[in-house]
Amino acid sequence: MPELPEVETVRRGLEKLVIGKEVKSVTVLWDNIVQAPGGVADFVHRMPGQSLLSVERIGKFLIFNWTDVAWIAHLRMEGKYLYVPTTESVDAYSHVILHLTDGYDLRYRDVRKFGRIHMVDKNQLEQAINALNLGPEPKDLTTVYLKGKLEKRKRPIKGVLLDQSVIAGIGNIYADEVLYAAKVHPEQAANTLTDPEIQAIVDASQAIIGHAVEVGGTTIRSYTNAFGENGHYQQYLQAYGRTGKPCARCGTPIEKISVSQRGSHFCPNCQKVHG
DNA sequence: AAACCCGCCTGAGTGC
DNA sequence: TGCACTCAGGCGGGTT
């Protein structure tokens, strides 16, 4: 599941390989992935002739700045972008194909079909981004801000960390890693965290997301010809996916439970619910 | 406003 | 073996 570090890695890959390229024609093989003012027909009609000027990232969203339009795109669970020769065969999971004038394709590949590419007029971009209602990214997070957000929430802290309107960019993997580093139980009610715990979460989210960006994100499964697959953070994971393995701090086996409808890994000794 | 539910999808995992 | 069934999982939209 691509989170901020993985999406940033994808962004850098796109920047390196696709900036300046012009779209010749477009094929959409699964309509629900594409959103445009006039639907898929509008998308297919307007993309030819567009050149990619820049790619930005906000939280887990990619912003593609084309000549006259912009995309707000999300990879959701398994979305990938491929940059491959047009002659390469199209597999069953590539749903949006942009044929470029350089003889290559930019293909959006997504096994689950959960991802989205939302095309907007450039003058609508700012408004569309605001409508995403995203909170600050970890690097801009402050203890005062987070404390204010937690005070009025009674749900488990894990669920709040996954709420993109509170913090943008954290998903299930890094939420578990942050809580492990901060020694906070995922089910601890948000409004019962102590000030030192809130500070620890802020510090841990900045350190962990920053480190993960540096090493290209986390690669859980390997794919070929995809952007953002060269991550190395998996070797640093302390909690996520380590069910039954000893905690690096105390040796207690890591447990997995369901919190806010998400699989959650934690050390039952280091991370205890308190009153 | 906060929090929950559903739908979107399909491969992996489970049970028999 | 092979088949039927269940479920994860981020987000948007709707409801309580």
Side-chain angles (χ1 to χ4, degrees), chain A residues 15-257:
Chain A
E15 197 165 59
K16 199 168 292 178
L17 291 175
V18 195
I19 293 288
K21 301 299 166 62
E22 181 183 344
V23 178
K24 187 163 68 179
S25 62
V26 175
T27 305
V28 176
L29 297 164
W30 192 263
D31 287 0
N32 283 354
I33 288 172
V34 170
Q35 299 170 302
V40 173
D42 186 25
F43 182 85
V44 171
H45 180 252
R46 293 182 70 181
M47 286 310 300
Q50 300 288 316
S51 293
L52 187 60
L53 306 180
S54 65
V55 184
E56 296 165 68
R57 181 194 53 71
I58 302 177
K60 304 179 202 171
F61 290 85
L62 286 166
I63 312 297
F64 290 70
N65 287 301
W66 300 91
T67 312
D68 303 312
V69 300
W71 289 0
I72 299 174
H74 201 295
L75 302 168
R76 293 286 177 92
M77 306 302 297
E78 303 192 28
K80 309 275 174 191
Y81 284 95
L82 315 180
Y83 180 72
V84 295
T86 298
T87 51
E88 186 160 310
S89 61
V90 177
D91 71 37
Y93 304 119
S94 294
H95 309 301
V96 179
I97 318 285
L98 276 71
H99 300 298
L100 307 172
T101 58
D102 67 352
Y104 280 72
D105 287 354
L106 178 64
R107 300 179 184 174
Y108 179 69
R109 184 181 191 275
D110 188 342
V111 171
R112 291 278 192 281
K113 300 176 179 172
F114 272 16
R116 295 291 181 266
I117 296 172
H118 184 193
M119 185 189 83
V120 296
D121 294 320
K122 269 200 161 169
N123 59 17
Q124 300 290 310
L125 179 59
E126 190 178 344
Q127 181 185 332
I129 289 173
N130 288 337
L132 297 173
N133 191 28
L134 297 175
E137 297 187 353
K139 66 176 168 53
D140 299 319
L141 195 60
T142 66
T143 304
V144 170
Y145 165 85
L146 186 58
K147 187 178 179 182
K149 289 292 183 184
L150 299 187
E151 274 171 356
K152 49 195 169 183
R153 291 165 204 260
K154 298 179 178 177
R155 54 192 308 226
I157 182 63
K158 170 75 182 275
V160 179
L161 291 185
L162 294 173
D163 183 338
Q164 301 299 297
S165 73
V166 177
I167 306 172
I170 292 179
N172 205 37
I173 294 175
Y174 296 111
D176 282 0
E177 294 302 307
V178 166
L179 290 173
Y180 174 88
K183 300 184 183 177
V184 175
H185 192 290
E187 288 182 306
Q188 184 74 41
N191 62 350
T192 64
L193 265 70
T194 65
D195 285 359
E197 285 175 334
I198 297 171
Q199 182 68 52
I201 286 175
V202 170
D203 292 345
S205 67
Q206 292 174 345
I208 288 170
I209 295 294
H211 182 199
V213 167
E214 280 178 22
V215 300
T218 302
T219 301
I220 299 294
R221 307 176 219 183
S222 60
Y223 294 92
T224 56
N225 294 323
F227 294 118
E229 64 176 334
N230 54 339
H232 297 287
Y233 197 78
Q234 58 273 16
Q235 69 193 75
Y236 301 102
L237 295 177
Q238 305 284 304
Y240 185 85
R242 295 183 48 79
T243 310
K245 294 180 180 173
C247 167
R249 284 186 298 240
C250 73
T252 304
I254 297 294
E255 285 184 13
K256 183 179 182 183
I257 59 174

